[in-house]
Amino acid sequence: MSALQYTVADSATMLRRNMKHMIRYPSMTLLLMGMPVILLLLFVYVFGETMGAGLGGVSGGRTEYANYVVPGVLLIGVAGSAQGTAIAVAMDMTEGIVARFRTMAIARASVLTGHVLGAVIQTMLALVVVMAVALLVGFRPSAGPLEWLGATGMLVLVALALTWVSVALGMAAKTVESASNLPMPMILLPFLGSGFVPTDSMPTAFRWFAEYQPFTPVMETVRGLLMGTPVGNAWLLAIAWCVALSAAGYLWARSLYNRKSLR
């Protein structure tokens, strides 16, 4: 077998390890599914009638707000999964399993790759549950098959980007407790974008930040694909942010992994 084939085979083994861990300890997966679902129900049924009053002209209200808020809740789900990944990586780094892997003849990259692939799969499973609940509470997308495929691809890209960043954060954390706190800014960013209210309703300083932070073009792209609203160049900005965050997270995580592996 070539070096690439060994890396792929070892990465598949590490992916199976993470999937088995996810099945045997389902509490984290349930938490990742539950948090965005609770937020969705809260925003639609508690705040929806008021916050949706300015959306869709005279037809605004809870139904219109359900159509507006779902992309933001999906991004909350992606960011929440990043926190779980940081915790899992920090546990591996502090409990000695990575030191055990270093004594084995396995590809060094496979440990991180297994974490990333497992986390992206876990994130997409959580988003399927969130979308099912969204449809039950009144979300009515107008997308065709190609638009659904595009929105799914966009969510996979942002999940991959945030997962690489969270892997690096998990490796940089000195304890598991600190690893659970480091991704908090990523969880808060969707609230400070166009996910829950239009940016033109915000004060000038917040509006500027909301329009230029990474999650806003992602949410606008997903909303445009699912609901048929104008996307403009948001899709291009969203892909650029995802590629940049993926590259930065990967390089940072690889650097930390190599440095800690030499100790």
Side-chain angles (χ1 to χ4, degrees), residues 6 13 16 63 68 72 82-83 106 126 146 184 186 190 212 227 252:
Y6 274 120
T13 301
R16 285 198 299 274
T63 302
Y68 182 86
Q83 187 181 33
I106 62 174
L146 285 179
M184 285 305 293
M186 291 194 293
Y212 291 100
M227 300 305 303
W252 187 18

Side-chain angles (χ1 to χ4, degrees), residues 47-48 66 92 131 142 149 184 208 224 242 246 248 258:
F47 306 130
D92 272 2
M131 183 58 74
S142 59
L149 187 62
M184 285 305 293
W208 185 89
C242 290
S246 296
N258 290 336

Side-chain angles (χ1 to χ4, degrees), residues 159-174:
L160 187 64
L162 296 189
T163 300
W164 271 116
V165 174
S166 64
V167 167
L169 291 174
M171 299 193 67
K174 296 186 183 302

Side-chain angles (χ1 to χ4, degrees), residues 3 10 16 18 21 35 38 49 58 119 121 126 142 183 214 216 223:
D10 290 342
R16 285 198 299 274
N18 284 282
H21 191 273
M35 184 181 71
I38 291 172
E49 192 66 33
V58 295
I121 292 172
S142 59
T216 291
R223 182 177 292 121

Side-chain angles (χ1 to χ4, degrees), residues 164-224:
W164 271 116
V165 174
S166 64
V167 167
L169 291 174
M171 299 193 67
K174 296 186 183 302
T175 65
V176 175
E177 289 76 14
S178 62
S180 68
N181 296 325
L182 289 177
M184 285 305 293
M186 291 194 293
I187 297 175
L188 294 176
L189 274 180
F191 291 102
L192 302 176
S194 65
F196 296 88
V197 295
T199 56
D200 55 13
S201 67
M202 300 177 181
T204 304
F206 281 106
R207 186 193 314 158
W208 185 89
F209 178 81
E211 289 177 348
Y212 291 100
Q213 60 117 318
F215 282 1
T216 291
V218 176
M219 291 184 286
E220 290 301 314
T221 301
V222 173
R223 182 177 292 121

Side-chain angles (χ1 to χ4, degrees), residues 39 41-53 62 65:
L39 284 174
L41 297 177
L42 177 70
F43 275 93
V44 171
Y45 286 114
V46 178
F47 306 130
E49 192 66 33
T50 300
M51 298 180 77
R62 184 173 289 116
Y65 191 65

Side-chain angles (χ1 to χ4, degrees), residues 114-128:
H115 269 297
V116 170
L117 295 177
V120 171
I121 292 172
Q122 188 180 39
T123 301
M124 298 314 294
L125 290 175
L127 295 189
V128 168

